[in-house]
């Protein structure tokens, strides 16, 4: 078994969408994968895809915004699958609204899941990475980090993920740990379907309108993001750290 095949990855928000595609992609790279989401039962499909293809996977239920739960989840992964030295902070939620309609809860929920969650998971996993002398952290940002109407909370959280990533790269680099961020553009997921519903459009029309504004003339797929994440988590990417990669089908204004 190669060194690559022995690595254990932990992917948050991995029951569906980008997280599920990433978990499957990393398993294809020979990783053992902890599939983490708020509802452990919801991870079953992702785990089944991995194990059916001959991989190793573990479903873990966890609220990433809860310190005790994140510590317990990481400890469980280490005990049952192996020390997690690859971490993908993908868990996210939307609470879109214009500023004057946005509630305290709308703001706090988004900040807690995205930013606090990434902080707690990174803090819990980094000790395993330091011990191994190897680590890969990938934080999911978004093109919304550049600003997006109706998403003051989400845009602020995703911009924060970029600053968090660059700081981790500086702090942890001497331990053989890299930290990078992937910032998706329009990706066809349940989350973007919810956005379409919020603005009163069918998801098909919403995707068509988005594709017309994208240079490659299509919307993104979860696998497009998973492929970028796979690069950042590779052994060969050890000299790439503190970077933000926009995966959006073209340059953004």
């Amino acid at each position: 078994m190669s060194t690559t095949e022995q690595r254990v990855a932990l992917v948050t928000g991995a029951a569906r969408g980008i997280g599920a595609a990433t978990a499957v992609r990393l398993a294809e790279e020979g990783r053992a994968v902890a599939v983490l989401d708020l509802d452990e039962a919801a991870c079953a499909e992702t785990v089944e895809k991995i194990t059916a293809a001959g991989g190793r996977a573990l479903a873990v239920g966890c609220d990433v915004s809860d310190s005790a739960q994140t510590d317990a989840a990481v400890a469980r992964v280490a005990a049952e699958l192996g020390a997690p030295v690859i971490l993908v902070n993908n868990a996210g939620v939307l609470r879109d609204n214009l500023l004057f309609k946005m509630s305290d809860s709308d703001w706090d929920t988004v900040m807690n899941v995205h930013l606090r969650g990434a902080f707690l998971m990174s803090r819990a996993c980094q000790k395993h990475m330091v011990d191994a002398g190897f680590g890969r952290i990938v934080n999911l940002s978004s093109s919304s980090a550049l600003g997006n109407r109706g998403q003051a909370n989400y845009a602020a959280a995703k911009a924060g993920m970029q600053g968090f990533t660059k700081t981790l790269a500086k702090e942890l680099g001497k331990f053989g740990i890299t930290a990078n961020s992937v910032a998706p553009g329009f990706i066809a997921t349940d989350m973007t379907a919810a956005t379409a519903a919020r603005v009163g459009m069918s998801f098909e029309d919403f995707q068509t309108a988005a594709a017309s504004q994208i240079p490659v003339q299509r919307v993104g797929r979860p696998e497009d993001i998973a492929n970028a994440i796979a690069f950042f988590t590779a052994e060969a990417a050890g000299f790439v750290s503190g970077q933000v990669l926009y995966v959006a089908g073209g340059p953004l204004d």
Side-chain angles (χ1 to χ4, degrees):
M1 181 179 289
S2 73
T3 301
T4 299
E5 291 171 334
Q6 297 172 350
R7 304 294 190 194
V8 175
L10 191 161
V11 183
T12 70
R16 60 187 62 81
I18 291 171
T22 298
V24 170
R25 181 71 173 81
L26 295 184
E28 291 172 352
E29 293 290 305
R31 319 298 192 184
V33 185
V35 179
L36 189 147
D37 213 289
L38 186 62
D39 178 9
E40 184 170 319
C43 299
E45 183 177 351
T46 306
V47 169
E48 172 60 24
K49 285 182 180 178
I50 293 171
T51 56
R56 295 172 60 218
L58 173 70
V60 181
C62 177
D63 177 353
V64 298
S65 70
D66 184 288
S67 180
Q69 288 192 41
T70 54
D71 286 346
V74 171
R76 181 185 168 196
V77 172
E80 297 186 28
L81 206 57
V85 294
I86 297 169
L87 171 64
V88 180
N89 284 309
N90 168 75
V93 295
L94 289 176
R95 295 292 185 272
D96 293 352
N97 227 325
L98 294 174
L99 181 63
F100 77 99
K101 294 181 179 179
M102 188 171 288
S103 68
D104 292 359
S105 177
D106 290 339
W107 180 271
D108 292 342
T109 297
V110 170
M111 290 296 169
N112 285 341
V113 174
H114 292 267
L115 274 177
R116 179 178 168 85
F119 157 65
L120 292 176
M121 292 302 306
S122 298
R123 187 178 66 180
C125 288
Q126 61 88 28
K127 57 188 175 183
H128 295 289
M129 300 177 186
V130 170
D131 289 344
F134 173 93
R136 299 285 187 265
I137 299 172
V138 181
N139 297 315
L140 269 292
S141 181
S142 169
S143 59
S144 292
L146 302 174
N148 199 32
R149 179 180 172 85
Q151 290 192 316
N153 48 3
Y154 187 76
K158 289 308 192 181
M161 291 289 264
Q162 296 186 18
F164 179 61
T165 297
K166 292 176 183 293
T167 301
L168 292 186
K170 292 182 177 182
E171 288 190 10
L172 302 177
K174 65 182 179 181
F175 302 108
I177 302 168
T178 66
N180 291 285
S181 181
V182 174
F186 189 106
I187 309 297
T189 64
D190 291 346
M191 189 173 284
T192 46
T195 301
R198 178 177 64 84
V199 299
M201 292 179 67
S202 73
F203 193 31
E204 182 178 354
D205 289 344
F206 195 55
Q207 292 181 77
T208 299
S212 70
Q213 302 301 311
I214 298 172
V216 300
Q217 293 291 286
R218 71 168 176 87
V219 300
R221 298 181 292 266
E223 291 75 16
D224 292 315
I225 307 306
N227 289 336
I229 292 170
F231 164 73
F232 280 134
T233 61
E235 309 281 330
F239 201 58
V240 182
S241 194
Q243 302 305 302
V244 178
L245 176 63
Y246 283 87
V247 183
L252 298 171
D253 295 334

